[in-house]
Amino acid sequence: MEAIVSYHLPLFLLPLSLYLFSIIRRNTSDDRKNLPPGSQGWPVLGENLKFSLSPEKFVKERMSKHCPDIFQTTLMGAKMATFCGPKGNKFLFSNENKFLTFWFPQSMRKVLSFPRIAESSMKVGSTTKSILHHDLLAPASLKKHVPAMDALAREHMERHWKPNSVVKVLPLSKKYTFELACKLVLSEVDPLRVKRLSDPFTAVTDGMLSVPVDLPWTAYRRAIRGGEVMREEMMRIVRERKEKMVGRNEGETSDFLSKMVMARDEDGKLMSEKEICTQVIGMLVASYDTTSSALTSVMNHLAQLPHIYNEVLKEQMAIAESKGPSELLTWDDIEKMKYSWNVVRETLRLTPPSLGSFREVATEFTYAGFTIPKGWKTLWTAYSTHKNPECFPDPERFDPSRFEGTGPAPYTFVPFGGGPRMCPGKEYARLELLVMMHNVVTRFKLEKTIPSEMMVYRATPTPVYGLPLRLHPHQK
Ligand code: HEM
C-alpha cells in the first residue's frame, strides 16, 4: 500500500494553483488546426493520473467518447496523439522513418541517462542493433541459450521454490529474469557485483513511470537515486572490461558487454564508456520488467484456470518424460511447446507488459482527417486492440485457441510492437517464458493464496501483493 501511495501521492498534494494555468492557457497556432478530439487534462500534469491508474480504461473511455481512430491527450508533459485500432497501429509501424522520430520522455531520461547526454544516445544505436541481431539474439545464439536458461531455471527452482510451500511470484520472476539477463549480457562480471546492481535496478524500474515529482518520499526520487547508483556501478564495470580487453582480439569476446567495448561504428570509432553504459542499461531495462511481468501473469492464469493448467501440464510432461532427468531442454523441445506458447500469447493479449511506445512528429501530417502537428508526440498502445471486441470477440475470455491456425488479424496483437523498432528480444522472451513455465508446471500445481488479488499498473501490470502462490508438489 505504501508503494502505491508513493507512486501517486504527489498528484494529490500538488497545489490547486496549477489549475489557474489552465485559465491563462495560450491560444497557440495549433488550436486553429483540425486537431484530433480529446482533452489535454490539467496543466502540467495533463492526464497522467488517469492514465497511470488504468491505461486500459483510459484508452477504452476515450475511444468511445472522442473517436475510435485517434484522440489527443497530454502525457509526460507532452501533447500527444494516441493512434487506435489496427489501422492506427499499422500507420505508426509503417511510417516510423517518414513522419516520426525517436522520443524519450524527459522524466524517464532523468532516471535512465547521464545528465546532459544527447537524447539520441538513449536510442538503441545501429552498433547495438547489429550486435543484438548478429550475436546475442541471432537464431544460432538463441539455440544455445535454451540449455543455459534451463540450467539457471533448475537452480532457481531448487533455491527459491522447492524449499517453500508459498512463494511470491513477482519478486522471484524479477530475480530470475535479472540473473539470466546479466549472465548473457555481463557473463564475465563477478556475480556479487551483478547482485549489487539489482537493488538500484529495481528502484529504477519501479519508479521510472511514476508521477514525475522529485520529492524525498516519492517512487520517482527513489528511481532517480537508483539510476545514479546503477550508472556508477555500470561505469566501473565498463572501465574494468575495457582494461581487460586491451590486447585481446574480437574473436575472444564472450558476452554482449565485451562486444560493445570492441565494436566500432561506421567511422571506425569505438563507443565512449558513457554510451556503452547507457546502451547496456537500456537493454537490461527493456528486458527485465517486461519479461518478469509476463512470467507473473502467466503463473496467475495457470493458478486461476485449472483446465488451462491441465493442458499445459500434459504438453510439458510429455516433453519431460521424453528426456533423462539431468538432460537440459533444447530448442527442439521448445518447438514442441505449441499449446503453452498460445497460453503465453493469450496472457500477453490480456495483460500486455508494455503499454506501447512514444514517438515525436518530425513532419506535420494528416490522419483520419485530423492534423497532427510537428513536435507533437504519438502513442500506440496494445490496449486499443487487445481488449477490443472487434479484434478479439468476447475479449475478456482467456482462450488460447485464438492463436491457432492463422491467428489474430494483422496489427491487432501487438505486445512486441511492430515495424522497424519492433522488440528485438521477442524470441528471447519466448524461450525464457517457456523454459520457466516448463520448470514450474512439471514440479508444482499452483493455488492462489489471495484469489481476488488486484492488479495495478506501474511500468507494467503488477499484482499488489506480488502474487503469492501455494505450491503443491506433484506426487512421484
Ligand atoms: C515479454 C517480454 C517483452 C515484451 C512484451 C517487450 C515489448 C517491447 C515493446 C512493446 C517494445 C517497443 C517497440 C517500439 O518502440 O515500438 C520493445 C522494445 C525493445 N525491447 Fe522488448 N519486450 C520484451 C522483452 C525483451 C527482451 C527479453 C529484450 C532483450 C533481450 C528486449 C529488448 C528490447 C529492446 C532493445 C527494445 C528497443 C528496440 C528499439 O528501440 O529499436 N525486450 N519491447
Side-chain angles (χ1 to χ4, degrees):
M1 210 57 198
E2 189 203 330
I4 298 178
V5 171
S6 70
Y7 204 75
H8 295 300
L9 187 65
L11 280 173
F12 299 107
L13 296 185
L14 269 184
L16 192 69
S17 59
L18 281 176
Y19 182 67
L20 295 174
F21 278 108
S22 66
I23 298 165
I24 54 169
R25 196 185 284 170
R26 288 163 303 139
N27 249 346
T28 65
S29 60
D30 282 356
D31 295 334
R32 291 187 289 275
K33 292 177 179 160
N34 183 27
L35 300 172
S39 148
Q40 302 223 337
W42 285 66
V44 184
L45 292 177
E47 296 199 285
N48 266 32
L49 175 60
K50 285 183 185 150
F51 184 77
S52 65
L53 284 175
S54 171
E56 181 181 334
K57 191 162 164 240
F58 180 89
V59 172
K60 195 172 169 187
E61 280 177 1
R62 277 150 190 77
M63 281 175 73
S64 77
K65 184 171 166 198
H66 301 306
C67 172
D69 300 322
I70 187 167
F71 62 85
Q72 69 159 293
T73 177
T74 297
L75 296 175
M76 317 268 178
K79 286 186 180 178
M80 194 160 296
T82 305
F83 286 64
C84 305
K87 274 197 219 140
N89 291 342
K90 182 176 179 186
F91 183 86
L92 291 187
F93 297 158
S94 319
N95 285 294
E96 179 75 42
N97 299 319
K98 200 169 161 197
F99 304 123
L100 307 169
T101 176
F102 178 80
W103 180 68
F104 216 71
Q106 171 61 25
S107 55
M108 283 171 78
R109 276 174 68 186
K110 197 166 166 184
V111 172
L112 288 173
S113 82
F114 291 95
R116 291 176 297 281
I117 196 167
E119 184 180 357
S120 58
S121 64
M122 303 285 303
K123 186 175 173 177
V124 178
S126 55
T127 312
T128 314
K129 261 200 177 143
S130 157
I131 298 175
L132 286 178
H133 289 298
H134 295 109
D135 215 292
L136 185 69
L137 304 176
S141 310
L142 288 172
K143 283 190 179 178
K144 278 195 264 163
H145 294 333
V146 177
M149 286 175 175
D150 192 26
L152 189 72
R154 286 177 185 212
E155 199 187 307
H156 182 85
M157 288 285 122
E158 289 300 313
R159 268 194 292 142
H160 303 296
W161 288 61
K162 226 171 131 190
N164 300 304
S165 54
V166 174
V167 293
K168 267 196 185 180
V169 177
L170 181 62
L172 286 185
S173 299
K174 289 188 170 191
K175 201 174 175 54
Y176 170 71
T177 310
F178 190 69
E179 279 180 21
L180 183 61
C182 288
K183 220 177 165 142
L184 295 166
V185 173
L186 308 168
S187 66
E188 287 183 39
V189 179
D190 174 2
L192 281 176
R193 294 194 66 184
V194 168
K195 210 164 176 288
R196 248 187 278 149
L197 273 176
S198 86
D199 285 346
F201 197 80
T202 306
V204 165
T205 51
D206 280 355
M208 70 183 177
L209 277 180
S210 61
V211 176
V213 175
D214 182 3
L215 290 173
W217 27 263
T218 59
Y220 187 60
R221 167 68 68 88
R222 286 197 293 277
I224 292 173
R225 181 70 198 123
E228 287 160 2
V229 176
M230 186 171 79
R231 283 191 295 280
E232 271 166 33
E233 187 60 32
M234 190 61 84
M235 278 297 271
R236 270 194 290 273
I237 293 176
V238 171
R239 274 190 206 115
E240 284 170 22
R241 181 63 61 90
K242 267 190 131 170
E243 282 160 22
K244 212 169 151 188
M245 298 302 292
V246 176
R248 284 207 218 171
N249 62 43
E250 223 171 301
E252 292 170 83
T253 54
S254 62
D255 61 11
F256 179 74
L257 178 59
S258 296
K259 291 191 164 65
M260 295 287 281
V261 166
M262 298 295 277
R264 291 179 186 275
D265 63 17
E266 297 97 42
D267 305 326
K269 254 180 44 208
L270 290 169
M271 270 195 259
S272 74
E273 285 166 6
K274 278 190 179 172
E275 279 170 326
I276 297 173
C277 187
T278 307
Q279 296 278 304
V280 171
I281 288 176
M283 263 288 296
L284 293 176
V285 170
S287 66
Y288 172 72
D289 241 21
T290 46
T291 320
S292 40
S293 161
L295 192 51
T296 306
S297 301
V298 167
M299 295 303 153
N300 185 26
H301 283 121
L302 290 178
Q304 212 155 255
L305 304 167
H307 63 292
I308 302 287
Y309 173 89
N310 286 338
E311 284 303 306
V312 172
L313 179 67
K314 220 191 298 169
E315 183 174 84
Q316 297 296 345
M317 277 303 191
I319 293 167
E321 282 159 10
S322 70
K323 306 174 76 73
S326 57
E327 236 183 294
L328 294 171
L329 289 173
T330 62
W331 176 268
D332 290 343
D333 297 319
I334 298 286
E335 291 303 275
K336 292 178 196 153
M337 301 182 184
K338 295 210 176 340
Y339 182 79
S340 303
W341 177 230
N342 286 348
V343 169
V344 174
R345 287 197 280 183
E346 182 66 339
T347 302
L348 295 176
R349 180 185 72 80
L350 283 165
T351 32
S354 168
L355 67 89
S357 69
F358 306 107
R359 302 285 187 267
E360 183 169 310
V361 177
T363 316
E364 181 170 297
F365 62 90
T366 309
Y367 178 78
F370 300 108
T371 305
I372 319 298
K374 180 174 166 57
W376 272 42
K377 315 304 174 214
T378 63
L379 169 67
W380 66 264
T381 159
Y383 291 112
S384 85
T385 50
H386 284 199
K387 295 271 190 99
N388 184 340
E390 285 172 24
C391 305
F392 295 95
D394 196 1
E396 296 298 331
R397 191 163 54 92
F398 191 92
D399 179 6
S401 74
R402 298 177 199 274
F403 293 90
E404 287 170 6
T406 52
Y411 302 103
T412 55
F413 178 64
V414 290
F416 296 100
R421 298 265 314 273
M422 185 179 189
C423 175
K426 174 177 181 277
E427 196 54 16
Y428 175 101
R430 179 174 85 100
L431 304 179
E432 188 172 351
L433 293 166
L434 289 173
V435 165
M436 199 53 175
M437 214 169 159
H438 175 87
N439 275 280
V440 171
V441 167
T442 53
R443 284 173 176 80
F444 310 106
K445 191 165 173 17
L446 310 169
E447 181 196 354
K448 284 178 81 163
T449 64
I450 309 173
S452 55
E453 184 174 4
M454 222 170 73
M455 291 291 257
V456 290
Y457 200 88
R458 297 282 165 73
T460 54
T462 306
V464 263
Y465 299 107
L467 189 63
L469 291 186
R470 189 173 308 285
L471 304 177
H472 300 282
H474 297 307
Q475 304 298 327
K476 293 264 154 118

